[in-house]
């Protein structure tokens, strides 16, 4: 039941996201669209409540309960950025909004971007760790908490990997190829000259 509910929550997340954006941009009903998007957290509340009731009724803690906690944590940490990502693209495609901003590729700007991405994944992992620890305390000595502890170890690995990636971009920043930099500078110079010529004609 828990796994089925997780799948249903994931499907409902994308259905609500699509419906919210459709009402916001296609049907020109931004309040209705916003209301649908604000319903997203209710999915996690339902999953949390069902998981807690299942444990309270004597279910033996296993990987499915841990997966539920991890799903909630990752929705908290990554759900908002996913909605913003989809909103920017739908706004550009159907509502004349500005094109989505591409993440930087080189230098310190890329390192900052990687730390922001890592921060979202770390937040998701920390929330998952907290929920898993709450489940461990809730079960207490009455059941086997090994599967929950195993999920906690996985979340620590997720945190470590994301920190390692961000640190690598900080210590060894990716440099822009010389040809691309020269081409960008030449293009900028041409644009500057064109602007100057336009100004003189005015």
């Amino acid at each position: 039941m828990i796994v089925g509910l997780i799948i249903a929550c994931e499907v409902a997340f994308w259905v609500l996201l699509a419906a919210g954006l459709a009402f916001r941009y296609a049907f020109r009903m931004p309040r209705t669209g916003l209301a649908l998007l604000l319903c997203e957290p209710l999915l996690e509340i339902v999953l949390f409540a069902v998981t807690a009731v299942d444990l309270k009724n004597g279910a033996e803690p296993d990987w499915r309960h841990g997966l539920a906690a991890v799903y909630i944590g990752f929705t908290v940490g990554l759900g908002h950025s996913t909605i913003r990502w989809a909103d920017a693209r739908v706004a550009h495609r159907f509502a004349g909004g500005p094109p989505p901003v591409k993440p930087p590729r080189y230098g310190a700007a890329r390192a900052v971007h990687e730390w922001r991405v890592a921060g979202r994944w770390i937040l998701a992992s920390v929330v998952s760790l907290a929920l898993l620890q709450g489940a461990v305390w809730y079960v207490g000595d009455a059941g086997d908490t090994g599967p929950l502890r195993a999920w906690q170890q996985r979340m620590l690995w997720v945190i470590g990997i994301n920190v390692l990636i961000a640190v690598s971009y900080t210590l060894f920043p990716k440099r822009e190829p010389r040809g691309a930099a020269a081409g960008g500078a030449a293009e900028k110079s041409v644009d500057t000259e064109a602007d100057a010529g336009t100004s003189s004609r005015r």
Side-chain angles (χ1 to χ4, degrees), residues 65-86:
H65 300 95
L67 178 61
V70 170
Y71 177 82
I72 294 172
F74 274 66
T75 303
V76 171
L78 304 175
H80 181 65
S81 61
T82 302
I83 292 174
R84 283 191 306 159
W85 177 87

Side-chain angles (χ1 to χ4, degrees), residues 14-33:
W14 291 103
V15 169
L16 283 174
L17 177 57
L21 295 177
F23 274 95
R24 186 172 185 178
Y25 295 110
F27 303 136
R28 306 297 180 183
M29 300 172 65
R31 292 185 179 180
T32 303

Side-chain angles (χ1 to χ4, degrees), residues 62-128:
D62 59 18
W63 65 272
R64 289 166 291 191
H65 300 95
L67 178 61
V70 170
Y71 177 82
I72 294 172
F74 274 66
T75 303
V76 171
L78 304 175
H80 181 65
S81 61
T82 302
I83 292 174
R84 283 191 306 159
W85 177 87
D87 181 74
R89 281 150 183 79
V90 173
H92 173 61
R93 178 66 177 81
F94 298 103
V101 179
K102 294 183 179 180
R105 299 177 60 185
Y106 307 106
R110 176 63 183 270
V112 171
H113 170 74
E114 292 297 332
W115 276 109
R116 288 175 178 170
V117 173
R120 290 193 287 268
W121 282 85
I122 291 171
L123 173 61
S125 301
V126 169
V127 173
S128 300

Side-chain angles (χ1 to χ4, degrees), residues 46-72:
V46 170
L47 179 59
F48 178 81
V50 170
T51 304
V53 169
D54 193 45
L55 291 173
K56 183 178 180 181
N57 290 338
E60 189 70 19
D62 59 18
W63 65 272
R64 289 166 291 191
H65 300 95
L67 178 61
V70 170
Y71 177 82
I72 294 172

Side-chain angles (χ1 to χ4, degrees), residues 178-198:
R178 291 185 178 181
E187 182 178 351
K188 185 176 180 181
S189 175
V190 170
D191 292 341
T192 302
E193 292 176 1
D195 291 342
T198 303

